[in-house]
């Protein structure tokens, strides 16, 4: 009787050990991007601070972000950046990108800044990312629309 009790107890302990997760589950979610800040330079080019968001539970490596950008209703052009950075699980990081917008986008932006009002932007494209510890890069599509507002006391800066 004691030996059967011992066998059943060992089997139950083994089953419980097999069912334990052993830590944080690996969840890979679609990353996102947004413009954290846009600065219009004296020569008309823009400095874009691009916020890359990792919604996964594990660290991800961000190899590329490529998207079409619009300000107001005007196409500003294609922004293509290869940050090559790792971002921890459920975290974000910012990369600064020099950008030469289209002439129509420059005019729309100059008008918004001169009148002291904000402007809407839209970005749509792909982010290439992968788990840092394994795997190959995968393209994730994204789309983001949001307003940018002038920063008081900082001419040419919108957030």
């Amino acid at each position: 009787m004691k030996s059967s009790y011992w066998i059943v107890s060992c089997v139950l302990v083994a089953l419980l050990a097999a069912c334990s997760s052993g830590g944080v589950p690996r969840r890979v979610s679609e990353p996102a991007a947004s413009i954290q800040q846009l600065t219009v330079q004296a020569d008309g080019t823009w400095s874009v601070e691009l916020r890359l968001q990792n919604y996964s539970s594990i660290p991800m490596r961000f190899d590329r972000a490529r998207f079409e950008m619009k300000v107001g209703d005007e196409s500003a052009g294609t922004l293509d950046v290869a940050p090559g950075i790792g971002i921890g699980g459920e975290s974000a990081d910012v990369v600064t990108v020099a950008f030469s917008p289209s002439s129509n986008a420059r005019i729309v932006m100059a008008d918004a800044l001169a009148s002291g009002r904000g402007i809407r932007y839209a970005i749509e494209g792909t982010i290439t990312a992968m788990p840092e510890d394994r795997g190959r890069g995968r393209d994730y599509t994204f789309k983001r629309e949001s307003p940018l507002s002038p920063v008081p006391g900082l001419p040419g800066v919108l957030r």
Side-chain angles (χ1 to χ4, degrees), residues 32-41 45-53 65 67 69 71 79-81 83 85 87 92-100 109 121 123 142 144 146-149 151 154-159:
S34 61
I35 295 176
Q36 183 165 304
Q37 179 172 297
L38 189 150
T39 304
V40 178
Q41 307 294 335
T45 61
W46 298 351
S47 175
V48 178
E49 290 187 18
L50 185 65
R51 180 181 174 90
L52 298 171
Q53 183 74 45
F67 55 86
M69 182 175 172
V71 290
L79 198 147
D80 193 351
V81 61
I85 60 172
I87 300 176
D93 206 345
V94 177
V95 294
T96 303
V97 183
F99 183 63
S100 294
M109 183 64 73
Y121 78 90
I123 53 177
F142 74 96
R144 169 86 178 187
S146 190
L148 288 169
S149 301
V151 178
L154 295 176
V157 179
L158 299 110
R159 290 187 185 141

Side-chain angles (χ1 to χ4, degrees), residues 24-113:
V24 177
R26 290 178 59 93
R27 179 183 42 84
V28 175
S29 300
E30 292 187 10
S34 61
I35 295 176
Q36 183 165 304
Q37 179 172 297
L38 189 150
T39 304
V40 178
Q41 307 294 335
D43 64 358
T45 61
W46 298 351
S47 175
V48 178
E49 290 187 18
L50 185 65
R51 180 181 174 90
L52 298 171
Q53 183 74 45
N54 177 14
Y55 291 111
S56 300
S57 65
I58 59 173
M60 299 283 284
R61 179 171 174 77
F62 286 69
D63 282 341
R64 187 174 186 198
R66 179 180 171 83
F67 55 86
E68 297 300 317
M69 182 175 172
K70 290 176 78 172
V71 290
D73 292 327
E74 293 296 328
S75 172
T78 302
L79 198 147
D80 193 351
V81 61
I85 60 172
I87 300 176
E90 299 174 359
S91 297
D93 206 345
V94 177
V95 294
T96 303
V97 183
F99 183 63
S100 294
S102 68
S103 57
N104 287 344
R106 287 180 190 195
I107 292 169
V108 169
M109 183 64 73
D111 182 53
L113 288 171

Side-chain angles (χ1 to χ4, degrees), residues 137-150:
R138 178 176 164 206
D139 288 339
Y140 297 91
T141 59
F142 74 96
K143 182 177 183 179
R144 169 86 178 187
E145 293 182 39
S146 190
L148 288 169
S149 301

Side-chain angles (χ1 to χ4, degrees), residues 118-139:
I119 193 165
R120 290 196 67 77
Y121 78 90
I123 53 177
E124 183 174 1
T126 59
I127 297 172
T128 305
M130 71 196 79
E132 277 195 330
D133 61 348
R134 62 179 167 181
R136 295 185 325 220
R138 178 176 164 206
D139 288 339

